[in-house]
Amino acid sequence: VASGAAVCKCQTGFSVLLRMLYCKLFSNIEENEGGLDKFSKSYKTFGVNQFVDGGIYCKEWAPGAEAVFLAGDFNGWNPFSHPYKKMEYGKWELFIPPGQDGYPPVPHGSKLKVVIRAQNGELLYRISPWARYVVRDEDKVNYDWVHWSPPQSYIHKHPSPKRLKSLRIYESHVGIASPEGKVASYKNFTYNVLPRIKDLGYNCVQLMAIMEHAYYASFGYQVTSFFAASSRYGTPDDLKEMIDIAHSMGITVLLDVVHSHASKNSEDGLNKFDGTDSCFFHSGHRGNHQLWDSRLFDYANWEVLRFLLSNLRMWIEDYRFDGFRFDGVTSMLYHHHGIGTGFSGDYNEYFGLHVDEDALCYLMLANHMIKFLHPECITIAEDVSGMPALCRPVAEGGGGFDYRLAMAIPDKWIQIIKELKDEDWNMGNIVHTLTNRRYEEKYIAYAESHDQALVGDKTLAFRLMDAEMYTNMSVLSPLTPVIDRGIQLHKMIRLITHALGGESYLNFMGNEFGHPEWLDFPRRGNNESYHYARRQFNLTEDHLLRYRFLNAFDRDMNKWEEKFGWLASPPAYVSEKHESNKVIAFERAGLIFIFNFHPYQSYVDYRVGRTSSLIVIFKYEILLDSDAAEYGGHQRLDHSTEYFSEEYPHNYRPNSLMVSKIFFFILLSSELLLKFFGQIWSLFWEYLGEG
């Protein structure tokens, strides 16, 4: 029976053929590399690594090179004094013994280059693909490789948090995490932003733009050095300290990892490292992403697998990241990269020749390695296609991810706000989008993405309130209908997404309080301005501004989830999605959520269904009320009011309760009261007798 179940899951998830390909690949690594553990440790031998005795061991994979040399400050930039020895399979190695005094021949902080003699005889000066630290001088365009081997590296003091049941993710970009118009630092994030995240009730930070990228405005998605933490924010030790301090606060830290493509830069990137069009990438048309203008990895290549798997392991073991959000998974899954393709859910869209089986095998292998070596780590897939079983274990034939992003949800909120009048919002359609997810696969819900914050698009706050955010967000100015509507809907949209949309929740930094400006990185088009490449956290600290209301609601929303754990609870039961009343009501984690989306109608004595198999009364009280004064509401509900359930069927639920008033949103929690003590007592003894 167990075997049959496994085969069934495999057939309904990834194909049996794919499973065979994966098993063959895994076996080959075990037989030829001494196991996946050793294979994925290659970051300790490739690149430039310093031995304990001070000696330097260098190793590169450059199959298209005629000769390889190491040049730098240490040898006066002599391009030929330190040649590599050619090995099998396109590998090259070099050992430089320590000096007579025991000091390393390549000092910490000195600049280096790998010198490649290409097949046409040209000398190419390259940064090692395995470089740990690259920097750019202000007067230069390209990055320089700096040998990072300090006498005493940062030592982590705090253990990683235990694996979380409920993920509340604060998606962050270190460089913009300051109200000042500049590139903010790891230190700033450590001491100014992490305490804020902790106070807001988020228990996980997802860091963008950490892997080094030459073009700041790429948002970190055009990676040039995969093993280097971005130097524009500080040193590798600064990042290690930041992660360590986050762990001391009980905050899990995830890395936004980009293994779906790479920058086309060759001077300071991975492209044409050995002088050929291929090396790490497919050659020709297949190796180029037509929309992203970037290079695409050859996942069937043995050394590419070594490079990418070692990259993941390095970030976990050297920096202590607690997992990854894999970017661009849809592009990896299909040969068409999702370009010009819609996904309806038909299984023909997920199985066939258009699926990139090599990329799928890599993702399965990566997830297996991470879970086997570091079981506490979390992996998240950014996949818009809805590939079946992507978030099921590899042992079942799945992709091995823990979570996938519910990417349809932010698109739905944009579509509703842009295209429909308030009175035309469809409650059933909203509920369907929030609950439409694959069975037993965990989803991360979010109301808006970081892409919406970019110039040219609009955040939810901007779409709801637009220009009035500049004139009417002060409590000293009139509360206009636009601002009132915007503040209330901003809270409701975020909470219903939080409570109904998945098994985890994500917010992009600043969106929790309705950041008033878009995000625009310095570039030629804006005269290299940093004015919009920042987050104005100070707005929430000004008690004369209404941003603090949204900030307070977001904080309390997370705090109540921390207490009741609805994200880790089974999916909600939606008892009402009333189209004319514009009311949505559902139960989850023992709570009742009631949303009134009607643009002008409030309700009194509104009956809401609930379930219980016990012959008892439940007393309910208000926990969270979007109409409360501290959230910018009109405080029209009496929070001392108690609501009692009764044996009155409603909306296919065996019990119900009457709610006196509904304005925007209220969250009710229950307290059990005995109704028929004698009946309960007899049932209790009957239960003991059966036991």
Side-chain angles (χ1 to χ4, degrees):
V1 174
S3 174
V7 170
C8 178
K9 287 180 179 178
C10 185
Q11 288 175 335
T12 57
F14 293 81
S15 67
V16 176
L17 174 61
L18 179 67
R19 179 69 175 161
M20 293 171 60
L21 290 173
Y22 167 76
C23 291
K24 182 180 179 180
L25 176 61
F26 184 84
S27 298
N28 284 341
I29 292 174
E30 294 291 311
E31 294 171 8
N32 299 301
E33 292 285 348
L36 189 58
D37 182 14
K38 183 179 179 182
F39 187 57
S40 59
K41 274 184 184 174
S42 296
Y43 71 93
K44 294 180 179 292
T45 55
F46 277 75
V48 174
N49 290 278
Q50 186 171 304
F51 291 154
V52 176
D53 65 359
I56 299 290
Y57 180 71
C58 312
K59 193 174 185 180
E60 299 293 346
W61 177 63
E66 288 292 324
V68 179
F69 308 89
L70 186 69
D73 294 335
F74 78 101
N75 66 357
W77 290 97
N78 187 325
F80 306 115
S81 64
H82 289 77
Y84 284 67
K85 176 185 175 183
K86 190 172 185 178
M87 304 166 66
E88 289 184 302
Y89 310 115
K91 298 181 185 125
W92 304 78
E93 68 174 356
L94 166 67
F95 176 70
I96 309 175
Q100 293 182 351
D101 53 5
Y103 283 99
V106 181
H108 165 68
S110 60
K111 293 182 179 180
L112 294 171
K113 286 282 189 181
V114 174
V115 183
I116 304 286
R117 180 186 289 152
Q119 295 173 355
N120 61 3
E122 182 183 3
L123 285 184
L124 307 172
Y125 286 78
R126 296 287 190 248
I127 292 176
S128 170
W130 305 79
R132 299 294 191 88
Y133 190 51
V134 296
V135 300
R136 189 183 70 180
D137 296 332
E138 290 186 5
D139 58 340
K140 291 185 178 180
V141 175
N142 295 326
Y143 275 74
D144 291 317
W145 172 22
V146 174
H147 180 54
W148 185 263
S149 184
Q152 181 61 58
S153 186
Y154 183 85
I155 298 174
H156 292 266
K157 304 175 184 65
H158 305 282
S160 297
K162 293 183 179 179
R163 191 179 177 91
L164 299 168
K165 293 182 180 179
S166 297
L167 273 180
R168 300 182 300 276
I169 304 170
Y170 197 79
E171 186 181 23
S172 305
H173 186 293
V174 171
I176 66 170
S178 166
E180 300 177 61
K182 64 178 184 179
V183 178
S185 66
Y186 294 124
K187 293 282 189 183
N188 168 74
F189 199 92
T190 301
Y191 297 105
N192 295 325
V193 183
L194 283 177
R196 175 185 179 83
I197 294 170
K198 178 69 175 177
D199 178 67
L200 281 169
Y202 291 94
N203 56 15
C204 179
V205 173
Q206 180 180 299
L207 293 175
M208 309 171 65
I210 295 297
M211 301 168 77
E212 191 60 272
H213 48 293
Y215 185 43
Y216 190 41
S218 74
F219 225 161
Y221 292 119
Q222 292 280 350
V223 176
T224 46
S225 291
F226 284 75
F227 286 82
S230 182
S231 62
R232 53 171 56 89
Y233 319 127
T235 68
D237 281 357
D238 291 341
L239 175 58
K240 291 177 182 179
E241 180 193 30
M242 188 181 91
I243 295 171
D244 196 30
I245 297 298
H247 287 167
S248 74
M249 298 178 177
I251 297 174
T252 294
V253 186
L254 305 180
L255 175 67
D256 196 349
V257 70
V258 185
H259 281 183
S260 50
H261 65 129
S263 168
K264 291 182 75 172
N265 287 21
S266 56
E267 293 291 328
D268 53 8
L270 203 58
N271 190 27
K272 298 183 179 179
F273 171 68
D274 64 354
T276 68
D277 181 48
S278 52
C279 199
F280 289 91
F281 310 107
H282 290 290
S283 61
H285 176 75
R286 190 180 176 190
N288 293 281
H289 197 290
Q290 66 185 66
L291 291 185
W292 296 342
D293 193 31
S294 54
R295 297 304 312 275
L296 297 171
F297 287 105
D298 180 1
Y299 300 104
N301 189 296
W302 193 265
E303 296 304 320
V304 171
L305 293 177
R306 182 196 306 277
F307 180 80
L308 296 177
L309 291 172
S310 298
N311 186 234
L312 295 173
R313 190 162 181 184
M314 187 277 297
W315 289 113
I316 295 173
E317 296 181 349
D318 271 20
Y319 287 90
R320 303 289 181 87
F321 277 99
D322 303 303
F324 306 98
R325 178 261 200 188
F326 280 74
D327 178 71
V329 169
T330 305
S331 177
M332 299 173 70
L333 292 176
Y334 310 98
H335 292 299
H336 54 62
H337 309 299
I339 300 173
T341 304
F343 295 94
S344 65
D346 189 295
Y347 277 82
N348 291 316
E349 297 166 352
Y350 308 113
F351 305 103
L353 297 178
H354 56 288
V355 176
D356 190 332
E357 293 172 336
D358 296 327
L360 271 174
C361 282
Y362 162 66
L363 291 172
M364 295 169 72
L365 194 63
N367 278 302
H368 172 79
M369 179 202 74
I370 293 168
K371 301 303 191 308
F372 178 73
L373 297 174
H374 299 279
E376 74 285 357
C377 281
I378 298 165
T379 58
I380 301 168
E382 189 220 18
D383 170 41
V384 72
S385 75
M387 169 67 80
L390 194 63
C391 297
R392 296 301 301 166
V394 172
E396 295 180 359
F401 286 97
D402 295 299
Y403 297 88
R404 70 196 314 159
L405 291 169
M407 301 180 72
I409 295 176
D411 291 343
K412 175 55 64 176
W413 289 123
I414 292 172
Q415 182 254 325
I416 289 173
I417 294 172
K418 282 177 63 176
E419 300 177 6
L420 300 177
K421 298 177 181 178
D422 289 3
E423 55 267 31
D424 294 333
W425 286 26
N426 186 295
M427 301 297 102
N429 186 249
I430 291 173
V431 169
H432 173 76
T433 302
L434 290 169
T435 58
N436 181 29
R437 47 190 186 266
R438 295 198 178 279
Y439 181 63
E440 291 194 347
E441 294 194 50
K442 293 181 179 179
Y443 281 68
I444 297 176
Y446 56 117
E448 51 189 329
S449 71
H450 58 243
D451 290 329
Q452 289 170 244
L454 290 171
V455 64
D457 206 339
K458 290 183 179 181
T459 61
L460 286 180
F462 240 128
R463 289 193 182 279
L464 290 167
M465 295 177 279
D466 213 355
E468 288 200 23
M469 293 188 73
Y470 293 108
T471 58
N472 290 83
M473 285 300 279
S474 169
V475 296
L476 301 178
S477 63
L479 180 62
T480 66
V482 169
I483 295 296
D484 191 20
R485 169 184 177 269
I487 286 177
Q488 304 308 335
L489 282 177
H490 192 274
K491 292 180 290 186
M492 294 172 67
I493 287 171
R494 300 179 82 75
L495 182 60
I496 196 171
T497 301
H498 199 304
L500 191 58
E503 290 70 36
S504 178
Y505 178 75
L506 178 143
N507 166 69
F508 177 66
M509 62 189 310
N511 284 351
E512 70 275 9
F513 64 86
H515 197 281
E517 293 178 336
W518 54 78
L519 176 61
D520 188 16
F521 289 93
R523 53 187 174 83
R524 290 181 182 177
N526 63 13
N527 295 319
E528 304 296 334
S529 171
Y530 285 88
H531 180 74
Y532 295 108
R534 59 190 179 125
R535 297 283 90 178
Q536 300 179 66
F537 296 125
N538 54 297
L539 295 176
T540 65
E541 297 158 11
D542 189 335
H543 287 269
L544 293 179
L545 296 179
R546 294 187 168 104
Y547 296 103
R548 65 185 175 91
F549 299 141
L550 300 178
N551 195 72
F553 187 83
D554 198 80
R555 180 189 61 234
D556 290 353
M557 175 177 71
N558 285 323
K559 294 294 176 66
W560 286 121
E561 198 288 323
E562 173 71 22
K563 181 175 181 178
F564 290 96
W566 60 69
L567 288 171
S569 300
Y573 183 91
V574 181
S575 61
E576 182 164 347
K577 39 190 176 181
H578 201 294
E579 296 302 339
S580 58
N581 290 348
K582 302 299 179 191
V583 171
I584 296 173
F586 57 87
E587 301 168 77
R588 193 175 188 186
L591 305 171
I592 297 180
F593 296 79
I594 310 171
F595 293 82
N596 175 18
F597 281 99
H598 204 287
Y600 52 84
Q601 182 67 56
S602 298
Y603 301 100
V604 295
D605 297 332
Y606 201 93
R607 186 169 293 278
V608 180
R610 66 164 306 279
T611 186
S612 174
S613 58
L614 296 174
I615 312 175
V616 295
I617 295 174
F618 281 85
K619 181 183 75 175
Y620 284 82
E621 60 182 9
I622 297 173
L623 286 185
L624 190 61
D625 167 22
S626 65
D627 198 41
E630 60 265 34
Y631 309 134
H634 303 282
Q635 48 192 322
R636 291 170 290 190
L637 291 178
D638 182 358
H639 286 214
S640 64
T641 304
E642 296 176 342
Y643 307 94
F644 296 90
S645 66
E646 53 185 316
E647 294 177 73
Y648 188 95
H650 182 70
N651 282 341
Y652 304 100
R653 304 303 270 168
N655 302 288
S656 62
L657 66 152
M658 191 76 78
V659 181
S660 59
K661 297 178 183 179
I662 306 176
F663 291 100
F664 301 121
F665 161 80
I666 56 174
L667 170 63
L668 304 174
S669 69
S670 62
E671 203 176 292
L672 185 147
L673 301 172
L674 295 183
K675 182 180 180 184
F676 300 115
F677 183 82
Q679 293 186 38
I680 293 295
W681 188 253
S682 62
L683 287 172
F684 173 70
W685 282 109
E686 183 181 340
Y687 170 76
L688 289 181
E690 291 177 355

